[in-house]
C-alpha cells in the first residue's frame, strides 16, 4: 500500500507555464517535506510544512499543507528549465520503532522545455 | 557547515560479494537514515540509527545491516549481493529523527554484476 500518492507521475511543460504537483494520503502527518532531486544526486530539501493550512513560498514555488495534514501541494509559477528534476514529498508516519518513520511518495518527474 | 558525506560515490561488485558503505552526517546531527532508490520502487527506507542504536527498520532482508559509531558516522553493509541490489543508496542525517528536517548525501551508486 502506497502511503503517499503523488500526481502526476510525469509532467513536461514549456518554459513560462504554471504547474501544480499533488501529494495525497489517508494518513495524518506531523510534518511534510518536499525535495528536489537531480539525476545521480541526493534529494535536496526545499521546505518543511508543519501546521495544517500552512502556506510557504520559496521564490516561484508555493507549498501548501492541507488543513487535515493529509495532503500537500507544490505550485510552480512561470517554470524555468532549471526547475527540471524529480520532486518528492515525504511525511513522518508512526512506526513500530521509537520514532516516526519518513515515507516518500513515488515522485513527480518534471521537465521544463526552453 | 559541511553537508552529509557518503563514500564511495560509485561501486561495482560481483554477485555473492559483500559491500560496506559509509556516511558522515552533518556535525551535531545524531540521526542517520539509509534509503535504497531504484527506478521501479522509488525511495525505500532501510533503517535509522540514533545515538548508536537502531531505532527503525524497513522491510528489507537480513542481508542488509548497519551500525552507527559514537561520532554519529554510520555504515551499512550488504552481504551476498544480488543483481537486484543495484541501486542508489542514500544516507540522510537529521538532528533528532527522520521526520524532522532530513538532509541527504549525494549517494553511493552500487552496481552488482
Amino acid at each position: 500500500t502506497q502511503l503517499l500518492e503523488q500526481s502526476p507521475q510525469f509532467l513536461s511543460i514549456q518554459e513560462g507555464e504554471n504547474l501544480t504537483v499533488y501529494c495525497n494520503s489517508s494518513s495524518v502527518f506531523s510534518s511534510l517535506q518536499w525535495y528536489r532531486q537531480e539525476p545521480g544526486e541526493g534529494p535536496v530539501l526545499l521546505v518543511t510544512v508543519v501546521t495544517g493550512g500552512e502556506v510557504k513560498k520559496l521564490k516561484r514555488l508555493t507549498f501548501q499543507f492541507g488543513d487535515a495534514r493529509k495532503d500537500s501541494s507544490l505550485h510552480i509559477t512561470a517554470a524555468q528549465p532549471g526547475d527540471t528534476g524529480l520532486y518528492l514529498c515525504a511525511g513522518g508516519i508512526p512506526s513500530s520503532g521509537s520514532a516516526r518513520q519518513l515515507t516518500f511518495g513515488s515522485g513527480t518527474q518534471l521537465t521544463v522545455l526552453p | 557547515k559541511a553537508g552529509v558525506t557518503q563514500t564511495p560515490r560509485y561501486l561495482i561488485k560481483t554477485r555473492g560479494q559483500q559491500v560496506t558503505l559509509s556516511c558522515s552526517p552533518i556535525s551535531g546531527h545524531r540521526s542517520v537514515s539509509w534509503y535504497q532508490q531504484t527506478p521501479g520502487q522509488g525511495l525505500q527506507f532501510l533503517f535509522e540509527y540514533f545515538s548508536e542504536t537502531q531505532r527503525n527498520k524497513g522491510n528489507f532482508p537480513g542481508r542488509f545491516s548497519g551500525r552507527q559509531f559514537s561520532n554519529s558516522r554510520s555504515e551499512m553493509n550488504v552481504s551476498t549481493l544480488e543483481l537486484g541490489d543495484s541501486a542508489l543508496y542514500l544516507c540522510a542525517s537529521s538532528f533528532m529523527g527522520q521526520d524532522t528536517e532530513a538532509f541527504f548525501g549525494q549517494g553511493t551508486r552500487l552496481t552488482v554484476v
Side-chain angles (χ1 to χ4, degrees):
Chain A
T1 304
Q2 186 71 30
L3 293 174
L4 268 173
E5 299 282 349
Q6 272 189 253
S7 61
Q9 192 175 355
F10 298 96
L11 192 54
S12 181
I13 61 172
Q14 293 292 135
E15 182 176 1
E17 292 183 354
N18 302 330
L19 67 113
T20 302
V21 175
Y22 299 94
C23 179
N24 296 298
S25 175
S26 58
S27 302
V28 175
F29 295 100
S30 57
S31 65
L32 201 138
Q33 302 170 27
W34 283 93
Y35 294 83
R36 183 173 75 201
Q37 185 180 22
E38 299 191 17
E41 301 291 329
V44 174
L45 180 66
L46 296 174
V47 78
T48 300
V49 286
V50 178
T51 306
E54 182 177 5
V55 177
K56 281 192 174 179
K57 292 194 175 185
L58 187 67
K59 296 183 181 178
R60 293 175 294 100
L61 279 60
T62 302
F63 304 85
Q64 185 160 6
F65 202 12
D67 290 339
R69 292 187 288 131
K70 291 183 178 182
D71 54 87
S72 181
S73 64
L74 157 61
H75 182 79
I76 301 179
T77 304
Q80 299 176 1
D83 295 327
T84 293
L86 179 68
Y87 288 82
L88 296 157
C89 64
I93 60 169
S95 72
S96 58
S98 59
R100 280 183 286 270
Q101 176 180 321
L102 196 62
T103 190
F104 280 82
S106 55
T108 294
Q109 180 62 53
L110 171 65
T111 303
V112 182
L113 304 169
Chain B
K1 198 179 206 182
V4 179
T5 303
Q6 289 189 247
T7 56
R9 285 294 310 274
Y10 303 94
L11 208 48
I12 300 176
K13 289 286 187 178
T14 305
R15 270 182 304 176
Q17 287 187 311
Q18 75 164 15
V19 67
T20 299
L21 311 181
S22 179
C23 172
S24 293
I26 292 171
S27 177
H29 283 191
R30 297 163 65 190
S31 167
V32 173
S33 299
W34 289 89
Y35 297 85
Q36 181 197 66
Q37 187 176 32
T38 58
Q41 299 296 319
L43 261 160
Q44 292 189 289
F45 169 70
L46 281 156
F47 27 67
E48 181 204 5
Y49 286 86
F50 185 87
S51 294
E52 302 179 67
T53 301
Q54 188 181 87
R55 197 158 66 165
N56 274 315
K57 190 177 193 312
N59 189 25
F60 277 81
R63 300 186 297 108
F64 292 81
S65 63
R67 59 178 176 169
Q68 187 179 33
F69 303 96
S70 59
N71 62 357
S72 293
R73 189 178 70 85
S74 178
E75 290 181 344
M76 68 162 281
N77 184 275
V78 188
S79 63
T80 320
L81 284 165
E82 301 177 358
L83 295 178
D85 296 333
S86 295
L88 181 66
Y89 289 88
L90 293 159
C91 162
S93 86
S94 59
F95 180 64
M96 284 298 293
Q98 292 180 78
D99 67 333
T100 58
E101 294 188 327
F103 298 89
F104 282 83
Q106 291 180 298
T108 295
R109 170 70 63 185
L110 172 66
T111 302
V112 182
V113 296

